[in-house]
Amino acid sequence: MKDNPNKKNSLKHVLFGSLIGTTIEFFDFYIYANAAVLVFPQLFFPGSDATMATLESLATFSIAFLSRPLGSAFFGHYGDKIGRKFTLVAALLTMGISTVAIGFLPSYASIGVAAPLLLMLCRFGQGVGLGGEWGGAVLLAIENAPPHKRAWYGMFPQLGAPIGLLLSGGTFLLLTDSMSSQDFMDYGWRIPFIASSLLVVVGFYIRTKITETPSFENSKNAHEEVKVPFLTLIKSYKNQLIFGTLAAVTTFLVFYLMTVFTLSWVTSDLGIVKRDALLVQLFSVLFFALFIPISAVAADKIGRRKMLIIATAAIAIFGFFFSFFLKSGDLVLVTIFACIGMALMGFTYGPLGTFLSELFPTNVRYSGASLTFNMAGILGAAFAPMIAIWLASTYGLNYVGFYLTSAALISLVSFLMISKKVHQF
């Protein structure tokens, strides 16, 4: 994997290389999210009532968010020390192997309590891989970008999220339509996990063809590297870490409320059949994908920070209308609700990677951007579906909306507190 120092990355390689990796990573991540709602409660947590089995399954979903900062610290260290390229390849393989292994796991009926334990181990590996993947993919894009198009370049890896979600949801929909419920539960759910190995091979090939970013090479040639990037972050950039993390919390929360929680709620409490719920989710993802580039263009014109403040304020307002759509049980209103929520997700997600990366200098950027993003994942997403189900079941859907609005207000304050300084690339 040695680079030719005279070779520069083409625009095609940069954008496709950053997009393909995050698409694969998020496809792997989201097929687990779908399975955690539709499959795992019955196969890995039998014996409990339906609600408890779902909560236990969603608890394993949370493990990946807890392990993502570990992946950020580990891969970020080597990404800042030895380069983005090798680290991106290693993170991709970590995620891919963990995902494929899930497809071969025996159920609780076969090996008892060892089954959910192995499932948790694989989920841990998924989190470590994604913790290292996201930051490197964003840096691959923006460290090759001209200054006036940094948010535009940085949105390409962000597009991997809706594309990965479309692929995962479409795969589950195709499988549930083409086989009986029994066959799907017996072996059909395993197909997307095992088939992801083909995507990993493609991503591995593309990643090995990419050279280091100019920003990293310039920093390395200037001998700006630090011995332990994580310690440098804690010592010199703790405000960026703290406020960057809190600023990104709402992005995670709105997404997992609109996907995992909504899918669980409408199928179990509103009685909407799983196929219709998946179709609604897939349709709403188109709005997620559409508004990512729109927000990136706006962010390059008015500034990343200002764009994110506007998007977060809109999410805070959306929280007050959360229950209006879901209480009705009407499929049309649920669809409108999903589309609005995912459009807001696109607005906040598009410039987020660029914004977080600009908080840190090149020699600690991989570690800093990855840690802020993935620590926000713990606060905003790790337990969000479980908290939302508990709030809705105990106090009503209004309180799920209040939960979202409260998080958005915290993020708004954080955006206002964070430094406006943009580090050189």
Side-chain angles (χ1 to χ4, degrees):
M1 293 188 191
K2 290 183 179 181
D3 295 321
N4 178 355
N6 297 318
K7 180 184 176 184
K8 290 185 177 181
N9 292 313
S10 68
L11 178 62
K12 177 182 69 175
H13 278 100
V14 167
L15 299 183
F16 189 58
S18 62
L19 174 63
I20 187 67
T22 52
T23 297
I24 295 166
E25 299 279 359
F26 282 107
F27 171 78
D28 289 355
F29 209 68
Y30 295 150
I31 56 175
Y32 191 101
N34 283 329
V37 172
L38 304 175
V39 177
F40 293 161
Q42 297 94 316
L43 292 186
F44 290 90
F45 303 96
S48 304
D49 62 77
T51 300
M52 183 56 64
T54 300
L55 288 173
E56 289 170 346
S57 178
L58 290 176
T60 68
F61 175 78
S62 306
I63 290 172
F65 290 98
L66 299 177
S67 63
R68 277 167 72 159
L70 296 177
S72 299
F74 177 78
F75 288 112
H77 175 85
Y78 290 102
D80 285 326
K81 293 284 287 183
I82 66 175
R84 308 343 188 178
K85 175 182 175 176
F86 173 80
T87 309
L88 277 168
V89 172
L92 181 68
L93 291 177
T94 301
M95 181 76 172
I97 292 170
S98 300
T99 302
V100 173
I102 293 173
F104 291 100
L105 288 181
S107 67
Y108 186 94
S110 300
I111 60 173
V113 72
L117 291 177
L118 288 173
L119 181 65
M120 288 187 282
L121 179 62
C122 292
R123 184 60 174 169
F124 179 86
Q126 279 193 314
V128 170
L130 187 55
E133 160 65 30
W134 178 86
V138 170
L139 297 194
L140 175 64
I142 67 173
E143 288 186 349
N144 280 284
H148 63 287
K149 288 190 175 181
R150 201 169 287 145
W152 176 254
Y153 275 56
M155 72 88 187
F156 276 87
Q158 303 296 72
L159 277 175
I163 295 173
L165 185 55
L166 281 169
L167 290 175
S168 62
T171 300
F172 268 87
L173 185 63
L174 179 64
L175 290 171
T176 53
D177 276 355
S178 60
M179 58 178 59
S180 67
S181 297
Q182 187 61 47
D183 286 342
F184 177 74
M185 293 299 293
D186 286 344
Y187 66 89
W189 68 270
R190 300 178 183 274
I191 294 174
F193 288 93
I194 297 172
S196 69
S197 59
L198 300 176
L199 295 176
V200 173
V201 171
V202 174
F204 177 83
Y205 173 78
I206 293 170
R207 286 281 171 84
T208 57
K209 298 297 181 183
I210 294 172
T211 63
E212 282 298 344
T213 68
S215 296
F216 178 80
E217 288 293 342
N218 292 338
S219 177
K220 184 177 179 181
N221 292 336
H223 304 290
E224 295 174 346
E225 65 266 22
V226 296
K227 188 173 183 180
V228 183
F230 179 77
L231 295 180
T232 302
L233 285 170
I234 299 300
K235 181 180 178 181
S236 303
Y237 301 97
K238 53 180 174 293
N239 285 343
Q240 287 90 332
L241 283 174
I242 292 170
F243 290 118
T245 295
L246 294 175
V249 162
T250 302
T251 300
F252 279 93
L253 181 58
V254 70
F255 179 77
Y256 285 98
L257 289 183
M258 298 310 304
T259 53
V260 179
F261 167 73
T262 299
L263 181 62
S264 176
W265 185 263
V266 301
T267 54
S268 61
D269 290 79
L270 298 185
I272 295 175
V273 297
K274 292 178 180 178
R275 185 180 187 279
D276 288 345
L278 283 172
L279 282 172
V280 168
Q281 186 178 87
L282 288 175
F283 181 67
S284 70
V285 173
L286 298 177
F287 289 81
F288 179 21
L290 174 65
F291 282 94
I292 286 176
I294 290 174
S295 66
V297 171
D300 275 331
K301 291 183 179 297
I302 67 174
R304 270 67 84 179
R305 184 170 176 267
K306 186 179 293 186
M307 181 66 233
L308 287 166
I309 287 173
I310 294 170
T312 305
I315 292 171
I317 296 170
F318 175 69
F320 288 109
F321 298 92
F322 199 91
S323 64
F324 168 77
F325 294 96
L326 286 186
K327 274 184 177 178
S328 68
D330 181 80
L331 190 60
V332 174
L333 286 178
V334 170
T335 303
I336 294 171
F337 162 79
C339 292
I340 294 173
M342 293 304 270
L344 290 172
M345 175 61 194
F347 265 125
T348 186
Y349 196 61
L352 183 66
T354 305
F355 173 79
L356 294 179
S357 300
E358 289 176 335
L359 297 178
F360 306 96
T362 303
N363 57 356
V364 294
R365 185 173 293 134
Y366 200 133
S367 299
S370 297
L371 280 169
T372 51
F373 184 76
N374 290 304
M375 288 297 291
I378 291 181
L379 297 177
F383 304 103
M386 290 185 292
I387 292 172
I389 289 173
W390 177 77
L391 286 172
S393 302
T394 308
Y395 300 104
L397 280 169
N398 283 333
Y399 282 83
V400 180
F402 298 156
Y403 174 35
L404 177 60
T405 298
S406 299
L409 292 176
I410 292 172
S411 292
L412 275 175
V413 172
S414 299
F415 279 120
L416 296 174
M417 294 291 292
I418 209 162
S419 170
K420 295 182 181 180
K421 180 181 178 181
V422 176
H423 288 278
Q424 295 298 312
F425 277 70

